């Protein structure tokens, strides 16, 4: 179970936006937060476009969908540093997450602002890992962790959407067929069992034969007792 990192926002903090001219053909939208600080979004070529953006900003605030540009500039490394200690998980899981972050995720995305991580970036990263012969399941574990981190960033109004969830599976990996399983014939099972007996004794031979003809898993085989066998009916 995850919980928001301490000190992160649970509600939007901007209360007012207005437009200022900064040059002959340039305008900016300024806004004031509840904590008294102000910021601006420059680069509008006309006042009309800037006014529309300011109006949309206030509408998005009422809908609780507007993202403060300062928050989306938070780097993944800074967000992960807040995110990981807030996770209420098994210590071994935390150790795995820390390893994934420091060895694979942060070297690629650590210095990237949350709002600048794109679906294409993630696709490129996973393809490079595939080309480097990392297992598909291993790469999927990294992507799953990255998605969890970015999903919580969405919940904290740091970014509008999670780019991992926008990915579409395509390419050779989607068309790859599962490998056909190879099953041993009865004769091969007996040869394997006899070879095992030379190394592990008659018990090893019996375990292999029992597993092959019953489908028991190792835990079930190890737990078998004499009273589990009915010689009269031939049932185990």
């Amino acid at each position: 179970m995850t919980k928001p990192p301490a000190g992160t926002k649970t509600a939007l903090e901007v209360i007012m936006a207005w437009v200022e001219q900064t040059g002959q053909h340039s305008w900016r939208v300024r806004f004031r937060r509840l904590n008294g600080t102000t910021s601006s979004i420059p680069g509008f070529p006309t006042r009309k476009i800037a006014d529309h953006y300011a109006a949309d900003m206030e509408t998005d605030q009422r809908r609780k969908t507007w993202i403060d540009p300062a928050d989306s500039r938070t780097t993944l490394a800074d967000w992960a540093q807040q995110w990981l200690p807030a996770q209420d998980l098994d210590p071994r899981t935390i150790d795995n997450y820390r390893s994934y972050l420091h060895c694979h995720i942060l070297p690629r995305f650590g210095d990237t602002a949350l709002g600048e991580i794109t679906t294409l970036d993630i696709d490129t990263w996973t393809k490079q890992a595939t080309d480097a012969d990392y297992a598909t399941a291993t790469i999927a574990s990294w992507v799953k962790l990255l998605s969890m981190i970015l999903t919580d960033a969405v919940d904290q109004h740091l970014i509008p959407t999670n780019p991992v969830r926008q990915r579409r599976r395509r390419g050779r990996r989607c068309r790859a067929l599962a490998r056909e399983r190879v099953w041993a014939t009865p004769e091969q099972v007996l040869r394997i069992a006899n070879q095992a007996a030379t190394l592990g004794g008659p018990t090893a031979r019996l375990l292999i034969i029992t597993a092959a003809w019953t489908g028991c898993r190792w835990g079930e085989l190890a737990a078998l007792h004499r009273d589990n066998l009915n010689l009269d009916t031939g049932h185990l």
Side-chain angles (χ1 to χ4, degrees):
M1 179 179 179
T2 63
K3 55 185 179 181
T8 56
K9 299 188 304 178
T10 57
L12 296 177
E13 298 177 346
V14 181
I15 58 173
M16 184 174 64
W18 68 95
V19 174
E20 292 180 346
Q21 187 170 6
T22 56
Q24 185 175 0
H25 300 291
S26 61
W27 302 78
R28 68 179 178 182
V29 175
R30 300 203 69 191
F31 55 91
R32 180 176 291 112
R33 303 180 181 90
L34 286 176
N35 61 11
T37 61
T38 60
S39 188
S40 63
I41 304 172
F44 298 95
T46 67
R47 182 182 183 99
K48 183 177 181 180
I49 295 175
D51 284 336
H52 285 167
Y53 186 91
D56 289 343
M57 177 190 296
E58 293 178 348
T59 299
D60 289 343
Q61 288 177 56
R62 289 192 293 271
R63 294 174 178 171
K64 297 184 178 181
T65 59
W66 187 77
I67 304 298
D68 189 330
D71 293 328
S72 64
R73 289 195 293 268
T74 301
T75 65
L76 182 67
D78 288 340
W79 174 239
Q81 191 173 9
Q82 299 178 58
W83 182 87
L84 189 60
Q87 307 313 302
D88 184 16
L89 299 169
D90 184 271
R92 290 170 296 183
T93 301
I94 293 294
D95 287 342
N96 286 337
Y97 285 178
R98 186 175 289 109
S99 175
Y100 294 164
L101 280 167
H102 290 295
C103 296
H104 304 288
I105 297 175
L106 294 183
R108 172 58 184 86
F109 296 109
D111 294 332
T112 306
L114 293 173
E116 295 177 0
I117 299 175
T118 68
T119 301
L120 181 60
D121 292 335
I122 297 168
D123 285 339
T124 301
W125 172 58
T126 56
K127 183 179 184 303
Q128 290 171 344
T130 300
D131 293 342
D133 291 331
Y134 283 101
T136 300
T138 299
I139 299 171
S141 297
W142 306 343
V143 174
K144 179 181 178 181
L145 175 58
L146 178 60
S147 181
M148 291 168 57
I149 294 171
L150 294 177
T151 294
D152 283 352
V154 172
D155 292 341
Q156 295 301 313
H157 302 292
L158 301 179
I159 51 176
T161 58
N162 178 355
V164 176
R165 292 187 173 179
Q166 296 175 331
R167 298 174 69 231
R168 294 182 179 180
R169 292 185 58 83
R170 55 180 177 265
R172 290 175 294 177
R173 286 173 295 175
C174 296
R175 296 192 296 270
L177 298 177
R179 292 183 180 180
E180 182 180 358
R181 292 187 177 183
V182 179
W183 303 98
T185 65
E187 293 78 12
Q188 291 171 331
V189 170
L190 291 176
R191 287 201 295 270
I192 294 170
N194 290 335
Q195 182 64 28
T198 63
L199 300 174
T203 301
R205 182 177 187 275
L206 180 60
L207 285 172
I208 290 176
I209 292 175
T210 304
W213 265 270
T214 65
C216 286
R217 292 168 292 187
W218 167 248
E220 296 167 333
L221 291 170
L224 285 175
H225 294 280
R226 174 63 182 82
D227 55 5
N228 297 129
L229 177 63
N230 189 326
L231 294 176
D232 294 331
T233 62
H235 287 88
L236 181 63

